[in-house]
Amino acid sequence: MEENKSKVTLHGMWASTYSKRVEIALKLKGILYEYVEEDLSNKTESLVQLNPVHKKVPLLVHDGKPVAESQVILEYIDETWKNSPRLLPEDSYERAQVRFWVSYINEQVIEVMRKVLFQEGEAQEKAIEEARERFKVLEEGLKKHFPNKIIRENDDVGLLDIIIISTFGSHKDYHELFGVGIIDPVNTPTLYNWIESLKELAVIKEAEVPSDRLVPFLQMYRQMHLQQAANT
């Protein structure tokens, strides 16, 4: 654990997977930080002033200097605190592969997960099929490019692992919500086992959101979006 010699503050929101990414990275690196929980319908003045472009969480403030956008924050953390675990591999090709699959999750998989969450009926069924296809691509990519992946301790965790666990760690809650499972041991064994291995780590358990809190929130969030869509 690297000695913390500076002031670090994270503005986040408990159910935000993007905030969770940063929280996990800070805990993995052993960085002491102050956490500010944001009510996104009544944001703090600090958040609005320090992140004037997006006014969103997560926002990292390091010695008074704000850093926004989860992906930017994660790379900033890795470049600033060079202690283990390093979030990106030293090998340039391995680093490129990690960045590619992180990008695929951010741009392709999360987009289709949103469709599943915020649609219903035939549109949702179509989104679920689309999600299965994209998860199949992800499964094959993980199996091909990271065949020897082993997760036993914190030092085995990097950027891709953080994105995987923060984005998909609650997949069983989504299954409970919709009655449809997309990540499972049969169709996506590599991804499923990857998630299960990460969940064994104490640092991941510490950051986990309990199902009895997350599922009602997702139900409310979904209904709110469906209602807004119906009124437009």
Side-chain angles (χ1 to χ4, degrees):
M1 184 184 292
E2 185 167 292
E3 186 183 348
N4 195 69
K5 297 177 180 176
S6 53
K7 181 171 172 55
V8 179
T9 304
L10 171 62
H11 292 255
M13 186 268 180
W14 69 270
S16 165
T17 58
Y18 296 100
S19 293
K20 197 58 65 181
R21 296 173 177 190
V22 180
E23 189 181 329
I24 290 169
L26 291 170
K27 289 178 185 296
L28 280 168
K29 289 274 192 180
I31 301 165
L32 298 176
Y33 67 98
E34 178 188 344
Y35 178 75
V36 178
E37 175 68 24
E38 290 284 351
D39 175 354
L40 300 185
S41 60
N42 185 26
K43 298 167 187 173
T44 64
E45 197 175 318
S46 297
L47 178 66
V48 175
Q49 286 181 351
L50 292 169
N51 189 8
V53 177
H54 297 300
K55 304 179 178 66
K56 288 180 180 178
V57 296
L59 176 74
L60 187 80
V61 185
H62 180 209
D63 286 338
K65 298 176 291 188
V67 185
E69 291 294 301
S70 64
Q71 203 60 36
V72 176
I73 295 171
L74 291 173
E75 296 210 19
Y76 175 83
I77 287 171
D78 203 35
E79 290 165 5
T80 305
W81 289 273
K82 298 185 186 296
N83 59 302
S84 187
R86 294 311 303 266
L87 303 186
L88 282 163
E90 287 191 20
D91 180 82
S92 56
Y93 182 73
E94 288 178 20
R95 196 160 61 242
Q97 289 305 312
V98 165
R99 283 185 168 133
F100 177 85
W101 289 105
V102 165
S103 175
Y104 183 79
I105 293 169
N106 284 336
E107 295 172 15
Q108 301 289 323
V109 183
I110 291 177
E111 179 206 19
V112 79
M113 286 172 69
R114 287 182 189 281
K115 285 183 186 176
V116 173
L117 182 60
F118 297 140
Q119 292 181 339
E120 54 188 345
E122 284 186 24
Q124 189 187 57
E125 287 175 21
K126 187 179 176 184
I128 289 168
E129 286 310 307
E130 194 179 342
R132 290 192 199 282
E133 288 302 313
R134 294 193 187 180
F135 274 99
K136 186 178 176 182
V137 172
L138 177 60
E139 172 72 15
E140 291 305 314
L142 295 179
K143 192 160 57 177
K144 178 180 177 181
H145 294 287
F146 308 96
N148 303 313
K149 183 67 182 180
I150 295 172
I151 300 161
R152 292 202 184 100
E153 55 188 31
N154 289 359
D155 282 1
D156 298 324
V157 181
L159 179 63
L160 182 58
D161 307 284
I162 291 171
I163 303 305
I164 284 174
I165 195 63
S166 59
T167 309
F168 308 128
S170 302
H171 70 91
K172 291 175 184 175
D173 295 329
Y174 281 82
H175 188 171
E176 181 183 334
L177 187 61
F178 298 117
V180 177
I182 295 173
I183 299 172
D184 61 55
V186 176
N187 295 305
T188 55
T190 304
L191 179 59
Y192 183 89
N193 292 329
W194 200 312
I195 294 165
E196 291 301 304
S197 296
L198 284 165
K199 281 189 163 194
E200 290 300 308
L201 298 178
V203 70
I204 302 299
K205 288 179 181 176
E206 195 181 324
E208 194 172 16
V209 178
S211 295
D212 59 359
R213 190 179 185 197
L214 184 60
V215 172
F217 174 81
L218 289 172
Q219 288 172 326
M220 181 196 72
Y221 196 48
R222 170 175 156 76
Q223 287 305 317
M224 184 180 74
H225 275 261
L226 290 172
Q227 191 68 44
Q228 285 175 349
N231 292 335
T232 55

